[in-house]
Amino acid sequence: MKTLVIAEKPDMGRTIAAVIEPRAKNNRSYLEGERYIVTWAIGHLLGLAEPDAYDPKYKRWNINDLPIIPEHFKIVPNPKTKDQLKTIKELAKRCNAIVNACDAGREGQYIFALIQQQLKLRQPVKRLWISDLTAASISQGFSNLKDASEYENLTQAARARSEADWLIGMNASRAFTTRHNALLSVGRVQTPVLALIYDREKEIAAFESQTFYDVLGYFKQGQTEYRGMWQGERLTEQAKAAEIAAAVKGKTGSISKYEVKPTKEYPFKLYDLTLLQREANAKYGYSAKKTLDLAQALYERHKVITYPRTNSNYVTEQNIEGMHKTLHMLKAGPYAELALNANAGIVHKQNKSVCNPARVEDHHAILPTLKKAGTLSKEEQNVYDLVVRRFLSHFYPPAEYKVHTVLTRVEQHTFKTGIKELVSLGWKVVLEASPDKEKNSGKRGKKDEEEETEEWTEGHFELDASRPVECTKSEAKEKATQPPKSYTEGTLLKAMESAGKQMEDEELREVMKDAGLGTPATRAATIERLKKVGYIEMNGKRILVTEKGKTAIELIRHAGVELLASPEMTGQWERRLNQISKGEAAQEKFMENVKKFTFSVIEKVRRQAPASADSFGTESGSRTRKGRIGGSGTGRAGSSGSARSSAATTATLPAERAKLGDCPRPGCGGTVIEGRKGYGCTHFKQGCGFVIWKEYKGKRLSESMLKSLLSKGQTQLLTFKRADGSAVKARIVLEDAPTGRLGVQRE
């Protein structure tokens, strides 16, 4: 009999098959060769069941039915991909061994574990654990397959994560929603992240700017001219600042202190996913999700970078030889000059800034692979460029500077000057010429611009401390203290990584990495979730909390369940999950604590006074229909915990919403208008259940498509993608007018 190989996605499956069974027959949903049959999941084929799978009464949301604590969690197939699950079941019957080739991480482990559980697969299982999809890595991985039992702890951690998110998201969302008559999504990770944003915006709103004055002196000795800042207590009176400026202008001074210290700057750390997302956001404005999608495409489709969903900035000793080979590959192509001038000898096993096995858990840092990049989109090229330049920088020596510290004394007043004189550019030749290249490094602390050491770009800086200087000019500059900055996706990712702790110390932040909010793979989805439920909105790069988001956090905190919004405590939960994956903590104990906490949340919310109807802002389309509110999402990014409305979030929408058509429900008389997630009837309060979601079968329904469905019962001809990647022509049709249920009709 043959061995069944189950990859996570079709592209991965085909790539693996090309290496282990190059002559395999392509059967659309699987490939079959002499020894192996290679098939795939399509992300999550299964998920945790909705509450009504345990009892039909849970179809109606009622706080008196909470908490919902299943004795054993049920799993159900994703209806969109059930055919692929059936294919795996049939193929498994013809095989006597299985290889789990899903992504080498916690969620990939969970995807396979659910398939194995649902289909009751009894064959012995081996694990393919590789960090890139190059032919060499796949071949080596298959010659070194691991026993599945080695990853049992990781499976337990994955189950605990999913079930904990279900318990908290499902119960807390239903409790707050029913108590306050508004759809409120609550989750183990998303709520503390929302709390971070809320607290930052409150801090900004409460900030009172104070005016102060800096006095600057401009000095000259021979051909050398420099600037210094007056030293003393902060000046709050303009007259006093002007008096000092006038006292020193045109006067002769002396140098009371002059120190010159050599210093070196080493390359920034190799990328983990979060750092890559932060820098792509700072440089290109990409959202965390967009960067993840681009990196995943570079890994899966183009195979030019290693596994991106990593939380490590280091490599192991086994990676050093591969890094040298990649450097050699880069000597031909667009990076040829940088690669040819690099020094391979700098990257070796004793270089702890690169090679640190103790800091590598499941996956090493993101690296370019041996495969040359072919045709990439502009955005893919941007992310690839970040990875390649960061990689190349480690084959260069440190940048060298002389830091000059000068204290200049004039008329009893002292001025301080910091000059950073470049001696050797070193690894910084790898950086693109860009005005914000330093800003993007993520390594500088925040300082007032006038206090920063000045970069000296005019050749050699030199002073003679025994000679006098002239104060050629002076000025008093009015300044104002600045409020904290709103989060961007980049700075929010940094805060999530360290569970909200404002840590400039990189080493301390490194220690906190296993206690952050979510994981590198789920943080982007958490941010997207907060946007989707209407808790946050973007203003350029800035993340702002909405009225609905503010009210949600305030209700949670006032209910006495501050723990649910605590970044640090939730970070500790993530640390415990990490310990479970290493066999250092018990899954059962973790889940027991989660259940206790769930009971506590329900009891406290039950005693809370209902919120006023106008406390959720103008977008009150989340107001509920009595007794019927949707369930909770449990997909791959479910670390946020969620609640889905069974209405198109059109309840009590503003009257000025455009009428898109008459409600097709017989005798209704309502009109169809647009909500946040779909198109619904204005007579929902009278019991009309008509709703058409904006997303259907991978298609986004526009207003024109909606109008066509209402008037003709069908859309124009559309192109749909099958699971195997092939295309089919079909129309979306309105199958049931009273409810808005849709279907697909092929041509």
Side-chain angles (χ1 to χ4, degrees):
M1 295 182 80
K2 298 179 180 180
T3 296
L4 179 63
V5 179
I6 303 176
E8 187 162 323
K9 295 177 184 175
D11 279 351
M12 297 172 67
R14 294 187 184 100
T15 300
I16 290 169
V19 176
I20 62 172
E21 285 286 8
R23 297 180 181 176
K25 181 183 177 183
N26 189 344
N27 292 284
R28 279 182 37 191
S29 56
Y30 66 96
L31 295 101
E32 184 165 359
E34 294 181 5
R35 295 178 56 203
Y36 296 101
I37 301 175
V38 181
T39 189
W40 42 79
I42 307 169
H44 278 269
L45 297 181
L46 297 137
L48 297 182
E50 295 284 325
D52 56 88
Y54 301 94
D55 191 321
K57 72 178 181 181
Y58 294 137
K59 284 185 178 180
R60 298 174 65 86
W61 288 28
N62 188 330
I63 198 168
N64 295 320
D65 291 333
L66 303 178
I68 305 167
I69 309 283
E71 188 174 342
H72 299 288
F73 281 88
K74 297 179 180 180
I75 57 174
V76 292
N78 181 338
K80 295 180 180 178
T81 54
K82 61 183 180 181
D83 288 346
Q84 186 62 19
L85 185 66
K86 185 178 178 182
T87 295
I88 296 174
K89 180 178 182 179
E90 295 305 315
L91 293 174
K93 292 176 182 177
R94 300 199 282 121
C95 299
N96 61 357
I98 296 175
V99 173
N100 173 7
C102 292
D103 270 1
R106 189 168 79 184
E107 288 306 306
Q109 194 68 16
Y110 189 48
I111 286 170
F112 178 84
L114 291 185
I115 293 171
Q116 188 180 29
Q117 176 184 338
Q118 178 74 2
L119 301 183
K120 298 180 172 59
L121 303 179
R122 300 286 180 255
Q123 297 91 329
V125 177
K126 295 289 185 181
R127 185 58 159 113
L128 176 69
W129 194 271
I130 54 177
S131 285
D132 63 65
L133 288 170
T134 58
S137 291
I138 293 169
S139 181
Q140 185 178 358
F142 268 86
S143 11
N144 188 32
L145 290 171
K146 308 290 186 182
D147 194 273
S149 61
E150 294 182 33
Y151 299 91
E152 180 54 33
N153 291 329
L154 189 62
T155 303
Q156 288 187 16
R159 286 188 188 278
R161 193 281 305 161
S162 181
E163 293 172 5
D165 287 343
W166 193 99
L167 286 172
I168 291 173
M170 196 71 66
N171 284 287
S173 294
R174 288 185 173 219
F176 279 101
T177 294
T178 53
R179 190 63 183 141
H180 302 292
N181 194 34
L183 184 64
L184 296 175
S185 177
V186 182
R188 183 182 65 85
V189 175
Q190 76 167 40
T191 301
V193 175
L194 178 60
L196 285 177
I197 302 166
Y198 171 90
D199 289 341
R200 174 63 58 86
E201 292 303 306
K202 286 277 284 187
E203 198 178 346
I204 293 169
F207 182 82
E208 294 184 5
S209 182
Q210 295 181 332
T211 300
F212 66 96
Y213 300 87
D214 282 342
V215 179
L216 300 175
Y218 296 81
F219 307 102
K220 184 174 183 181
Q221 184 188 79
Q223 298 300 311
T224 303
E225 297 183 17
Y226 64 98
R227 181 182 68 179
M229 180 176 287
W230 181 80
Q231 301 297 290
E233 291 186 4
R234 175 168 280 182
L235 298 169
T236 56
E237 297 178 16
Q238 184 178 20
K240 178 65 175 174
E243 179 187 327
I244 295 170
V248 299
K249 185 177 181 180
K251 302 294 175 59
T252 299
S254 61
I255 297 174
S256 59
K257 179 182 177 183
Y258 181 35
E259 288 184 349
V260 183
K261 290 184 178 180
T263 186
K264 295 180 179 181
E265 283 188 17
Y266 290 87
F268 304 132
K269 291 185 296 186
L270 293 168
Y271 285 124
D272 61 9
L273 176 59
T274 302
L275 186 55
L276 180 63
Q277 288 169 316
R278 282 168 47 194
E279 299 212 359
N281 179 256
K283 186 168 185 179
Y284 300 114
Y286 295 164
S287 69
K289 181 181 185 301
K290 182 167 192 167
T291 301
L292 174 57
D293 290 345
L294 291 169
Q296 200 68 21
L298 291 171
Y299 166 66
E300 281 183 20
R301 189 160 67 249
H302 301 291
K303 304 167 188 64
V304 294
I305 67 169
T306 58
Y307 185 73
R309 297 169 183 258
T310 175
N311 67 347
S312 177
N313 304 101
Y314 302 91
V315 302
T316 67
E317 295 172 349
Q318 289 72 37
N319 301 123
I320 299 299
E321 183 182 353
M323 290 179 73
H324 287 171
K325 289 179 178 178
T326 299
L327 175 65
H328 183 74
M329 179 273 291
L330 292 170
K331 290 179 179 178
Y335 301 98
E337 184 178 351
L338 291 174
L340 287 166
N341 291 327
N343 179 358
I346 294 176
V347 174
H348 52 78
K349 295 176 182 178
Q350 280 71 48
N351 182 344
K352 293 300 179 186
S353 64
V354 175
C355 182
N356 194 338
R359 297 279 185 88
V360 181
E361 294 179 4
D362 296 335
H363 299 285
H364 56 70
I366 303 171
L367 304 172
T369 67
L370 280 168
K371 190 174 187 299
K372 290 187 178 181
T375 304
L376 304 178
S377 71
K378 175 63 177 173
E379 292 172 335
E380 289 170 341
Q381 178 61 45
N382 287 341
V383 174
Y384 181 65
D385 185 70
L386 287 175
V387 173
V388 171
R389 289 179 186 274
R390 182 59 57 94
F391 168 82
L392 286 171
S393 70
H394 285 272
F395 289 92
Y396 279 79
E400 296 182 17
Y401 296 89
K402 285 182 181 177
V403 176
H404 303 256
T405 303
V406 186
L407 294 182
T408 305
R409 187 88 170 158
V410 185
E411 296 293 311
Q412 307 304 310
H413 294 289
T414 299
F415 293 79
K416 184 176 181 180
T417 303
I419 295 291
K420 188 177 178 183
E421 178 192 352
L422 178 66
V423 176
S424 172
L425 202 54
W427 65 272
K428 291 193 174 184
V429 299
V430 171
L431 296 176
E432 283 187 296
S434 165
D436 60 354
K437 64 186 179 184
E438 289 291 334
K439 179 180 71 178
N440 293 343
S441 69
K443 300 242 316 195
R444 301 287 184 268
K446 183 173 70 175
K447 297 181 181 179
D448 186 279
E449 61 179 3
E450 298 291 357
E451 293 181 355
E452 287 191 53
T453 300
E454 182 182 349
E455 289 274 0
W456 189 259
T457 58
E458 301 173 13
H460 182 53
F461 181 87
E462 187 174 16
L463 290 172
D464 184 343
S466 64
R467 292 173 55 204
V469 299
E470 295 298 319
C471 181
T472 58
K473 188 175 90 169
S474 63
E475 61 180 332
K477 294 185 71 173
E478 183 177 306
K479 294 291 198 65
T481 54
Q482 298 298 310
K485 292 183 178 179
S486 295
Y487 280 116
T488 64
E489 290 205 24
T491 56
L492 181 59
L493 285 167
K494 181 179 180 180
M496 290 172 73
E497 187 177 47
S498 53
K501 288 184 178 293
Q502 298 305 305
M503 298 180 183
E504 295 300 332
D505 187 301
E506 290 291 321
E507 291 301 313
L508 192 55
R509 288 185 62 253
E510 190 72 32
V511 171
M512 283 297 295
K513 267 195 171 184
D514 64 349
L517 293 174
T519 66
T522 62
R523 286 173 190 142
T526 298
I527 296 172
E528 291 302 310
R529 175 72 189 161
L530 291 172
K531 294 176 189 175
K532 189 174 182 181
V533 298
Y535 285 164
I536 62 173
E537 59 190 10
M538 303 302 297
N539 182 351
K541 282 188 180 182
R542 296 190 304 145
I543 301 174
L544 304 179
V545 65
T546 64
E547 283 301 314
K548 182 180 179 183
K550 290 176 187 176
T551 301
I553 286 297
E554 289 165 359
L555 288 173
I556 289 166
R557 286 176 167 166
H558 293 162
V561 287
E562 295 88 347
L563 192 65
L564 192 54
S566 165
E568 289 187 34
M569 184 56 66
T570 304
Q572 295 303 323
W573 289 10
E574 201 67 51
R575 170 178 281 178
R576 188 54 51 88
L577 288 168
N578 193 49
Q579 290 172 339
I580 293 170
S581 72
K582 297 176 183 176
E584 299 169 359
Q587 175 190 6
E588 294 78 13
K589 181 64 176 175
F590 173 78
M591 291 305 298
E592 182 183 325
N593 289 333
V594 171
K595 290 173 184 177
K596 286 179 181 176
F597 180 63
T598 302
F599 272 98
S600 170
V601 170
I602 302 306
E603 287 308 306
K604 289 180 178 179
V605 175
R606 207 189 300 273
R607 297 194 296 266
Q608 193 174 30
S612 62
D614 60 354
S615 60
F616 297 93
T618 56
E619 278 295 336
S620 54
S622 55
R623 307 304 292 178
T624 71
R625 285 192 296 156
K626 188 176 180 181
R628 277 189 52 82
I629 300 187
S632 174
T634 53
R636 177 169 188 156
S639 62
S640 56
S642 58
R644 293 192 304 252
S645 169
S646 65
T649 64
T650 54
T652 65
L653 284 166
E656 62 269 19
R657 291 286 174 104
K659 173 184 172 182
L660 302 175
D662 295 325
C663 177
R665 181 170 172 261
C668 173
T671 58
V672 178
I673 58 176
E674 183 181 4
R676 189 187 301 277
K677 299 179 186 176
Y679 306 95
C681 179
T682 53
H683 283 186
F684 68 91
K685 285 187 176 179
Q686 287 89 336
C688 181
F690 177 84
V691 57
I692 291 180
W693 298 106
K694 289 182 180 177
E695 295 282 345
Y696 181 71
K697 299 289 186 183
K699 297 292 182 185
R700 185 161 183 83
L701 272 65
S702 64
E703 282 190 17
S704 62
M705 293 166 74
L706 180 276
K707 289 176 181 177
S708 182
L709 283 167
L710 293 176
S711 60
K712 302 175 184 177
Q714 63 181 25
T715 66
Q716 71 273 33
L717 204 58
L718 305 168
T719 302
F720 289 82
K721 286 282 184 72
R722 290 194 179 100
D724 63 359
S726 61
V728 62
K729 296 285 187 180
R731 300 177 191 273
I732 297 175
V733 296
L734 184 58
E735 288 188 343
D736 185 47
T739 64
R741 190 180 75 241
L742 302 177
V744 174
Q745 182 177 299
R746 295 185 185 180
E747 284 295 294

